[in-house]
Amino acid sequence: MHQPIDQYAAKLSADKRASVYDGTKSGYDARLRSLNTSYPAPDHLRLLAGRIKQHTIENLDTYLPQVEARLRTNGVKVHWAVDGGEACAHVHRIMEARGAKKMVKAKTMVSEEIHLADYLEKRGMECLETDLGEFIIQIDHDHPSHIVKPIIHKNRREIATSFEKNGLGSYNDDPEVITARARQFLRHKYLAADVGLSGANFVSAESGRIVLVTNEGNSRFSIAATKVHIALVGIEKIVPRDRDLGVFLNLLARSATGQQLTSYTEFIGGARSANQPDGPEEMHVIFVDNGRARVLADDCRAILRCIRCSACLNVCPVYRQASGHAYRAVYPGPVGAVLSPLLAGDEFPEMADLPKASSLCGACNEVCPVNIPIPDLLLRLRDRGKREHSKVAAADTPPMGAFGTLANHPSLWKAAMKTGGLSALYPTFLMPSYGKAWVRTRGMPKWRGGKFRAWMKNRKQQASK
Amino acid sequence: MTASRDAILKRVNDALAPLKERAPYPEFADDVAVMPALDRNGDLWAAFCERAKLVHGTPLSGKPAVLADWLHGQNLHHGYCDPELLPLFGEALAAAGCAVETIFDRARVDEYQFGITRAEAAIAETGSLVLTDATTSSRLAALAPWTHVAVLKRGQIFADVADALKKMPADPNVIWCTGPSRTADVEGILIEGVHGPGVQVAFLLE
């Protein structure tokens, strides 16, 4: 049995690999340029942000009730969802209560996580993606493969083809034309929709403000044109005070796209003002657990600091080769390799190969704006996969039993080391099948072991002279 | 509903209970994330203009006629104007051949070439405009037309993001617009004007 990610990467077309490589590389370069030209010591900010977030998640028992109280004071209706099913049911119920049939939604990872669009469509509701990338994913019946750039795996020709197929004009692969057509089509959808749904990048416990960042302005349009605003919020999204946002907004935009600030930063404290003609009459916040409290109980809880900037995806040599779909879950890349198995709950063993999809080079930790020690967390999860005897985690791992016997018997070990030099002469046709597969693409290494005992012995003799 | 609330809070409590100590809230200066290169004592409007241009914003300043001439020069002749701004701008706009409406009719969303509304403030450090419900007469008029003009006065400019956060207005809808609406979803190529304005003007009224 082989590792699923290796298999996926091996079958990936050259076109897709080039798209992913170019997209991640440009994201990485932009981040570096932006951070280093803005600050003499950007690392200091990163460490500080990590400490604020770690403090927050370790005090969620205080901050969650606090933010709930603030939201209620602001006139926001607060709901709680233990899992995805309950979160979807809340959305459905809110829509039904208003007699609403049409929703426009901004990009939110939680809604992907809980399969909201499928849930609503099965119940006769329209649920339209408004972020350009997510919209293209939706008309293609595809899945996002990157957190910030959902269609990093697609080129303009594919997009033009699906626009043509979906009645959005004749074939034209000019990005300017593609964007203009989406603009024209979607603005009428906003105006016809009843409900606007968003996620939240941050929620301030101090003011109860939901903070949303987008470049396209799609969340702003959904919240200007519809009568109901629903925000789906993972319980880990809180920051203690408004002033903390100065640190996070600066780091998020730079780490995600290399911008100083994202084009639109929205601070939403409730429904529209009385004198405002546009915007929602009511606002709902749904706090979603869906496995997060379980992650909080785990010693990998630092992953809950993540602010979904994708810097770790962009820098990861495995992500670049394999693409996001290889991770078989909503969250790809290094963050996904930690988060997806943890969020999977009882299905952890089925996702336990993901922590092995890493070279442990440490680049993900180095670029992380909240300093998550991703390589350490991956090692902990590899260990857990082994302890729980996960079959997918064991794939492509050579059997270590024989090595264990060898290493536990000094005389055997000594003999093996002495004769090891002969290994290069071993007839490969006598090898077991996995050994044959191994040497088919690699040469036998030159023997370099077995010298230590001799060296040690000589060293003692030298010293006694 | 309350059952789920209690269940989640209990899980969170149980998850955190075994922690012997919890990470403290780190102390830091308000301006820790402010770029050191920023000149906070100089002309804030000049600093704003410099930053706004970097994000492809369009800063303009002067009497109402300056804006009216600019709109005329861009071949924009029909749009929306905040009714409270009309006494100031109406005459100049009419003279430049610009017809404006003071109620945004969403049924005719594609007919408005521009929208003129007031800004709550601006942020020099990032070239951002701050819009609120209190100062924006119509959210849609500030968003749907290709060109949005936000009118502000001197004395309404924050030096940096930290300052703007500290003096956040008590408004349910505070928006920082940093340049025009943009996307790079198609092959990473930057395109301006997706759902929001393709041209974002900051007009300093003098």
Side-chain angles (χ1 to χ4, degrees), chain A residues 176-241:
Chain A
E176 194 110 30
V177 174
I178 291 171
T179 309
R181 285 177 178 175
R183 172 184 170 97
Q184 192 55 29
F185 176 76
L186 284 166
R187 57 182 37 223
H188 293 282
K189 292 288 188 183
Y190 292 117
L191 294 166
D194 312 296
V195 174
L197 183 125
S198 74
N201 291 88
F202 307 99
V203 189
S204 161
E206 180 185 35
S207 61
R209 281 194 175 97
I210 303 273
V211 183
L212 280 173
V213 304
T214 71
N215 270 317
E216 299 183 3
N218 53 322
S219 73
R220 194 178 164 219
F221 215 137
S222 3
I223 301 167
T226 56
K227 295 286 178 234
V228 181
H229 173 207
I230 305 174
L232 277 176
V233 185
I235 55 169
E236 82 286 16
K237 289 287 177 187
I238 300 173
V239 297
R241 302 195 240 169

Coordinates of all heavy atoms in Angstrom, one line a residue, chain A residues 176-241:
Chain A
E176 N -9.9 39.7 -17.5 CA -10.6 41.0 -17.3 C -12.1 40.7 -17.7 O -13.0 41.1 -17.0 CB -10.0 42.1 -18.2 CG -10.5 43.4 -17.9 CD -9.4 44.3 -17.3 OE1 -8.2 44.1 -17.6 OE2 -9.8 45.2 -16.5
V177 N -12.3 40.0 -18.8 CA -13.6 39.7 -19.3 C -14.3 38.7 -18.3 O -15.5 38.9 -18.0 CB -13.6 39.1 -20.7 CG1 -15.0 38.6 -21.2 CG2 -13.0 40.1 -21.7
I178 N -13.6 37.7 -17.9 CA -14.2 36.7 -16.9 C -14.7 37.4 -15.7 O -15.8 37.2 -15.2 CB -13.1 35.7 -16.5 CG1 -12.8 34.8 -17.7 CG2 -13.5 34.8 -15.3 CD1 -11.6 33.8 -17.5
T179 N -13.8 38.4 -15.2 CA -14.2 39.1 -13.9 C -15.4 40.0 -14.2 O -16.3 40.0 -13.4 CB -13.0 39.9 -13.5 OG1 -11.9 39.1 -13.4 CG2 -13.3 40.5 -12.1
A180 N -15.4 40.7 -15.3 CA -16.5 41.6 -15.6 C -17.9 40.8 -15.7 O -18.9 41.3 -15.3 CB -16.2 42.4 -16.9
R181 N -17.8 39.7 -16.3 CA -19.0 38.8 -16.5 C -19.5 38.4 -15.1 O -20.7 38.4 -14.9 CB -18.7 37.6 -17.4 CG -18.7 38.0 -18.8 CD -18.3 36.8 -19.7 NE -18.3 37.2 -21.1 CZ -17.9 36.4 -22.1 NH1 -17.5 35.2 -21.8 NH2 -17.9 36.8 -23.3
A182 N -18.6 38.0 -14.3 CA -19.0 37.6 -12.9 C -19.6 38.7 -12.2 O -20.6 38.6 -11.5 CB -17.8 37.0 -12.2
R183 N -19.0 39.9 -12.3 CA -19.5 41.1 -11.6 C -20.9 41.4 -12.1 O -21.8 41.6 -11.2 CB -18.6 42.3 -12.0 CG -19.1 43.7 -11.5 CD -18.2 44.8 -12.0 NE -18.8 46.1 -11.8 CZ -18.5 46.9 -10.7 NH1 -17.7 46.5 -9.8 NH2 -19.1 48.1 -10.6
Q184 N -21.2 41.4 -13.4 CA -22.5 41.7 -13.9 C -23.5 40.7 -13.4 O -24.6 41.0 -13.1 CB -22.4 41.7 -15.4 CG -23.6 42.2 -16.1 CD -23.9 43.7 -15.6 OE1 -23.0 44.4 -15.2 NE2 -25.2 44.0 -15.6
F185 N -23.1 39.4 -13.5 CA -24.1 38.3 -13.1 C -24.4 38.4 -11.6 O -25.6 38.3 -11.2 CB -23.5 37.0 -13.5 CG -24.3 35.8 -13.0 CD1 -25.4 35.4 -13.8 CD2 -23.9 35.0 -11.9 CE1 -26.2 34.3 -13.4 CE2 -24.7 33.9 -11.6 CZ -25.8 33.6 -12.3
L186 N -23.4 38.5 -10.8 CA -23.5 38.4 -9.3 C -24.2 39.6 -8.7 O -25.0 39.4 -7.7 CB -22.2 38.1 -8.7 CG -21.7 36.6 -8.9 CD1 -20.2 36.5 -8.5 CD2 -22.6 35.7 -8.0
R187 N -24.0 40.8 -9.2 CA -24.7 41.9 -8.5 C -26.2 41.8 -8.6 O -26.8 42.2 -7.6 CB -24.2 43.2 -9.1 CG -24.4 43.4 -10.6 CD -23.9 44.7 -11.1 NE -22.6 45.0 -10.4 CZ -22.3 46.3 -9.9 NH1 -23.1 47.3 -10.1 NH2 -21.2 46.4 -9.2
H188 N -26.7 41.2 -9.6 CA -28.2 41.0 -9.6 C -28.6 39.9 -8.7 O -29.7 40.0 -8.1 CB -28.7 40.8 -11.1 CG -28.5 42.0 -11.9 ND1 -29.3 43.1 -11.9 CD2 -27.5 42.4 -12.8 CE1 -28.9 44.1 -12.7 NE2 -27.7 43.6 -13.2
K189 N -27.7 39.0 -8.4 CA -28.0 37.9 -7.5 C -28.0 38.5 -6.0 O -28.9 38.1 -5.2 CB -27.0 36.8 -7.6 CG -27.1 36.0 -8.9 CD -28.3 35.2 -8.9 CE -28.4 34.2 -10.1 NZ -29.7 33.4 -10.1
Y190 N -27.1 39.4 -5.7 CA -27.1 40.0 -4.4 C -28.4 40.7 -4.1 O -29.0 40.5 -3.1 CB -26.0 41.1 -4.3 CG -24.6 40.6 -4.3 CD1 -23.8 41.1 -5.3 CD2 -24.1 39.9 -3.3 CE1 -22.4 40.7 -5.4 CE2 -22.7 39.5 -3.3 CZ -21.9 40.0 -4.4 OH -20.6 39.6 -4.4
L191 N -28.9 41.4 -5.2 CA -30.1 42.2 -5.0 C -31.3 41.4 -4.9 O -32.3 41.8 -4.3 CB -30.2 43.3 -6.1 CG -29.0 44.3 -6.1 CD1 -29.0 45.1 -7.5 CD2 -29.2 45.3 -5.0
A192 N -31.3 40.2 -5.4 CA -32.4 39.3 -5.4 C -32.4 38.4 -4.2 O -33.5 37.8 -3.9 CB -32.5 38.5 -6.7
A193 N -31.3 38.4 -3.5 CA -31.2 37.4 -2.3 C -31.9 37.9 -1.1 O -32.1 39.1 -0.9 CB -29.7 37.1 -2.1
D194 N -32.2 37.0 -0.2 CA -32.9 37.3 1.1 C -31.8 37.4 2.2 O -31.9 38.2 3.1 CB -33.9 36.3 1.5 CG -34.8 35.9 0.3 OD1 -35.6 36.8 -0.1 OD2 -34.8 34.8 -0.2
V195 N -30.8 36.5 2.1 CA -29.9 36.3 3.2 C -28.5 36.4 2.7 O -28.1 35.9 1.6 CB -30.1 35.0 3.9 CG1 -29.1 34.7 4.9 CG2 -31.5 34.8 4.5
G196 N -27.6 37.1 3.5 CA -26.2 37.2 3.2 C -25.5 36.4 4.3 O -25.7 36.6 5.5
L197 N -24.6 35.5 3.9 CA -23.9 34.7 4.9 C -22.4 35.0 4.8 O -21.9 35.0 3.6 CB -24.2 33.2 4.7 CG -23.5 32.3 5.7 CD1 -24.5 31.4 6.4 CD2 -22.4 31.4 5.1
S198 N -21.8 35.1 5.9 CA -20.3 35.3 5.9 C -19.7 34.5 7.0 O -20.4 33.9 7.8 CB -20.0 36.8 6.2 OG -20.3 37.1 7.6
G199 N -18.4 34.4 7.0 CA -17.7 33.8 8.1 C -17.3 35.0 9.0 O -17.9 36.0 9.1
A200 N -16.1 34.8 9.7 CA -15.5 35.8 10.5 C -14.0 35.6 10.5 O -13.7 34.4 10.8 CB -16.1 35.9 11.9
N201 N -13.2 36.6 10.2 CA -11.8 36.4 10.4 C -11.4 36.5 11.8 O -10.5 35.8 12.3 CB -11.0 37.4 9.5 CG -11.2 37.1 8.1 OD1 -12.1 37.5 7.4 ND2 -10.3 36.2 7.5
F202 N -12.1 37.4 12.5 CA -11.8 37.6 13.9 C -13.1 38.1 14.6 O -14.0 38.7 13.9 CB -10.8 38.7 14.2 CG -9.5 38.5 13.4 CD1 -9.2 39.2 12.2 CD2 -8.5 37.6 13.9 CE1 -8.1 38.9 11.5 CE2 -7.4 37.4 13.2 CZ -7.1 38.1 12.0
V203 N -13.2 37.9 15.9 CA -14.3 38.5 16.7 C -13.7 39.1 17.9 O -13.0 38.4 18.6 CB -15.4 37.4 17.1 CG1 -16.6 38.1 17.7 CG2 -15.8 36.6 15.9
S204 N -13.9 40.4 18.1 CA -13.4 41.0 19.3 C -14.3 40.8 20.5 O -15.4 41.1 20.5 CB -13.2 42.5 19.1 OG -13.1 43.2 20.3
A205 N -13.7 40.2 21.6 CA -14.4 39.9 22.8 C -14.8 41.2 23.5 O -15.8 41.3 24.2 CB -13.6 39.0 23.7
E206 N -14.0 42.2 23.2 CA -14.2 43.5 23.9 C -15.4 44.2 23.4 O -16.2 44.7 24.1 CB -12.9 44.4 23.7 CG -13.0 45.7 24.3 CD -11.8 46.6 24.0 OE1 -11.2 46.4 22.9 OE2 -11.4 47.4 24.8
S207 N -15.5 44.3 22.0 CA -16.6 45.1 21.4 C -17.7 44.2 20.8 O -18.7 44.7 20.4 CB -16.0 46.0 20.3 OG -15.4 45.3 19.3
G208 N -17.4 42.9 20.7 CA -18.4 42.1 20.0 C -18.5 42.3 18.5 O -19.5 42.0 17.9
R209 N -17.4 42.9 17.9 CA -17.4 43.2 16.5 C -16.9 42.0 15.7 O -15.9 41.4 16.1 CB -16.6 44.4 16.2 CG -17.2 45.7 16.4 CD -16.4 46.8 15.7 NE -17.1 48.1 15.9 CZ -16.8 49.0 16.8 NH1 -15.8 48.7 17.7 NH2 -17.4 50.1 16.9
I210 N -17.6 41.6 14.7 CA -17.1 40.6 13.7 C -16.2 41.3 12.7 O -16.6 42.3 12.1 CB -18.3 40.0 13.0 CG1 -19.3 39.4 13.9 CG2 -17.9 39.0 11.9 CD1 -19.1 38.1 14.3
V211 N -15.0 40.8 12.5 CA -14.1 41.4 11.5 C -14.0 40.5 10.3 O -13.8 39.3 10.4 CB -12.7 41.7 12.1 CG1 -11.9 42.4 11.1 CG2 -12.8 42.5 13.4
L212 N -14.3 41.1 9.1 CA -14.2 40.3 7.9 C -13.3 41.0 6.9 O -13.3 42.2 6.8 CB -15.6 40.4 7.2 CG -16.7 39.5 7.7 CD1 -18.0 39.9 7.0 CD2 -16.4 38.0 7.4
V213 N -12.4 40.2 6.3 CA -11.6 40.8 5.3 C -11.8 40.2 3.9 O -11.9 39.0 3.9 CB -10.1 40.8 5.7 CG1 -9.8 41.4 7.0 CG2 -9.5 39.4 5.7
T214 N -12.0 41.0 2.9 CA -12.1 40.5 1.6 C -11.5 41.5 0.6 O -11.4 42.7 0.9 CB -13.6 40.2 1.1 OG1 -14.2 41.5 0.8 CG2 -14.4 39.4 2.0
N215 N -11.1 41.0 -0.5 CA -10.5 41.9 -1.5 C -11.6 42.3 -2.5 O -11.5 43.4 -3.1 CB -9.3 41.3 -2.2 CG -8.0 41.6 -1.5 OD1 -7.8 42.7 -1.1 ND2 -7.2 40.6 -1.4
E216 N -12.5 41.4 -2.8 CA -13.5 41.7 -3.9 C -14.6 42.5 -3.4 O -15.3 43.1 -4.2 CB -14.0 40.3 -4.4 CG -12.9 39.4 -4.9 CD -13.4 38.1 -5.5 OE1 -14.6 37.9 -5.5 OE2 -12.5 37.3 -5.9
G217 N -14.9 42.6 -2.1 CA -16.0 43.3 -1.6 C -17.3 42.5 -1.7 O -18.4 43.1 -1.5
N218 N -17.2 41.2 -1.9 CA -18.4 40.4 -2.0 C -19.2 40.3 -0.7 O -20.4 40.3 -0.7 CB -18.1 39.0 -2.6 CG -17.0 38.3 -1.8 OD1 -16.1 38.9 -1.4 ND2 -17.2 37.0 -1.7
S219 N -18.5 40.2 0.4 CA -19.2 40.1 1.7 C -19.9 41.4 2.0 O -21.0 41.5 2.5 CB -18.3 39.7 2.8 OG -17.4 40.8 3.2
R220 N -19.2 42.5 1.6 CA -19.8 43.9 1.8 C -21.1 44.0 1.0 O -22.1 44.5 1.5 CB -18.8 44.9 1.4 CG -19.2 46.3 1.9 CD -18.1 47.3 1.5 NE -18.7 48.6 1.7 CZ -18.4 49.6 0.8 NH1 -17.6 49.5 -0.2 NH2 -18.9 50.8 1.0
F221 N -21.1 43.5 -0.2 CA -22.3 43.6 -1.1 C -23.4 42.7 -0.5 O -24.6 43.1 -0.4 CB -22.0 43.1 -2.5 CG -22.7 43.9 -3.6 CD1 -22.1 44.3 -4.7 CD2 -24.1 44.2 -3.4 CE1 -22.7 45.1 -5.7 CE2 -24.7 44.9 -4.4 CZ -24.1 45.3 -5.5
S222 N -23.1 41.5 0.0 CA -24.1 40.7 0.5 C -24.7 41.3 1.8 O -25.9 41.1 2.0 CB -23.7 39.2 0.8 OG -22.4 39.0 0.6
I223 N -23.9 42.0 2.5 CA -24.5 42.6 3.8 C -25.1 44.0 3.5 O -25.7 44.6 4.4 CB -23.4 42.6 4.8 CG1 -22.9 41.2 5.1 CG2 -23.8 43.2 6.2 CD1 -21.6 41.1 5.9
A224 N -24.9 44.5 2.3 CA -25.6 45.8 2.0 C -26.9 45.5 1.3 O -27.9 46.3 1.4 CB -24.7 46.6 1.0
A225 N -27.0 44.4 0.6 CA -28.2 44.2 -0.3 C -29.3 43.3 0.3 O -30.4 43.3 -0.1 CB -27.8 43.6 -1.6
T226 N -29.0 42.6 1.4 CA -29.9 41.6 1.9 C -30.5 42.0 3.3 O -30.0 42.9 3.9 CB -29.3 40.2 2.1 OG1 -28.1 40.3 2.9 CG2 -28.9 39.6 0.8
K227 N -31.6 41.4 3.7 CA -32.3 41.8 4.9 C -31.8 41.0 6.2 O -32.1 41.4 7.3 CB -33.8 41.5 4.8 CG -34.4 42.4 3.7 CD -34.5 43.8 4.2 CE -35.1 44.7 3.1 NZ -34.2 45.9 2.9
V228 N -31.1 39.9 5.9 CA -30.6 39.1 7.1 C -29.1 38.8 6.9 O -28.7 38.4 5.8 CB -31.4 37.8 7.2 CG1 -30.9 37.0 8.4 CG2 -32.9 38.0 7.3
H229 N -28.4 39.0 7.9 CA -27.0 38.6 7.9 C -26.7 37.5 8.9 O -27.0 37.6 10.0 CB -26.1 39.8 8.2 CG -24.6 39.5 8.3 ND1 -23.7 40.3 9.1 CD2 -23.9 38.5 7.7 CE1 -22.5 39.7 9.0 NE2 -22.6 38.7 8.2
I230 N -26.1 36.4 8.4 CA -25.7 35.3 9.2 C -24.2 35.2 9.2 O -23.7 35.1 8.1 CB -26.4 34.0 8.8 CG1 -27.9 34.1 8.7 CG2 -26.0 32.8 9.8 CD1 -28.6 32.9 8.1
A231 N -23.6 35.1 10.3 CA -22.1 34.9 10.4 C -21.9 33.5 11.0 O -22.3 33.3 12.1 CB -21.4 36.0 11.1
L232 N -21.1 32.7 10.3 CA -20.7 31.4 10.8 C -19.3 31.6 11.4 O -18.4 32.0 10.7 CB -20.6 30.4 9.7 CG -21.9 29.7 9.2 CD1 -21.4 28.8 8.0 CD2 -22.5 28.8 10.3
V233 N -19.2 31.3 12.7 CA -17.9 31.6 13.4 C -17.4 30.4 14.1 O -18.1 29.9 15.0 CB -18.1 32.8 14.4 CG1 -16.8 33.2 15.0 CG2 -18.8 34.0 13.7
G234 N -16.2 30.0 13.8 CA -15.6 28.9 14.6 C -15.2 29.5 16.0 O -14.9 30.7 16.1
I235 N -15.4 28.7 17.0 CA -15.2 29.2 18.4 C -13.8 29.7 18.7 O -13.6 30.4 19.7 CB -15.7 28.2 19.4 CG1 -14.9 26.9 19.3 CG2 -17.2 28.0 19.4 CD1 -15.1 25.9 20.5
E236 N -12.9 29.4 17.8 CA -11.5 29.8 18.0 C -11.1 31.2 17.5 O -10.0 31.6 17.5 CB -10.5 28.7 17.5 CG -10.2 28.8 16.0 CD -11.3 28.3 15.1 OE1 -12.5 28.2 15.5 OE2 -11.0 28.1 13.9
K237 N -12.1 31.8 16.8 CA -11.8 33.1 16.1 C -11.7 34.3 16.9 O -11.6 35.4 16.4 CB -12.9 33.3 15.0 CG -12.9 32.3 13.9 CD -11.8 32.6 13.0 CE -11.6 31.5 11.9 NZ -10.4 31.7 11.1
I238 N -11.8 34.2 18.2 CA -11.9 35.4 19.1 C -10.5 36.0 19.3 O -9.5 35.3 19.4 CB -12.5 34.9 20.4 CG1 -13.9 34.4 20.2 CG2 -12.6 36.1 21.4 CD1 -14.6 33.8 21.4
V239 N -10.5 37.3 19.4 CA -9.3 38.0 19.9 C -9.8 38.8 21.1 O -11.0 39.3 21.1 CB -8.6 38.9 18.9 CG1 -8.0 38.1 17.8 CG2 -9.5 40.0 18.3
P240 N -9.0 39.0 22.1 CA -9.5 39.7 23.4 C -9.9 41.1 23.2 O -11.0 41.5 23.6 CB -8.3 39.6 24.3 CG -7.4 38.4 23.8 CD -7.6 38.5 22.3
R241 N -9.1 41.9 22.5 CA -9.4 43.3 22.4 C -9.3 43.9 21.0 O -8.7 43.3 20.2 CB -8.4 44.1 23.3 CG -8.4 43.7 24.8 CD -7.7 44.7 25.5 NE -6.5 44.2 26.2 CZ -5.6 45.0 26.8 NH1 -5.7 46.3 26.8 NH2 -4.6 44.4 27.4

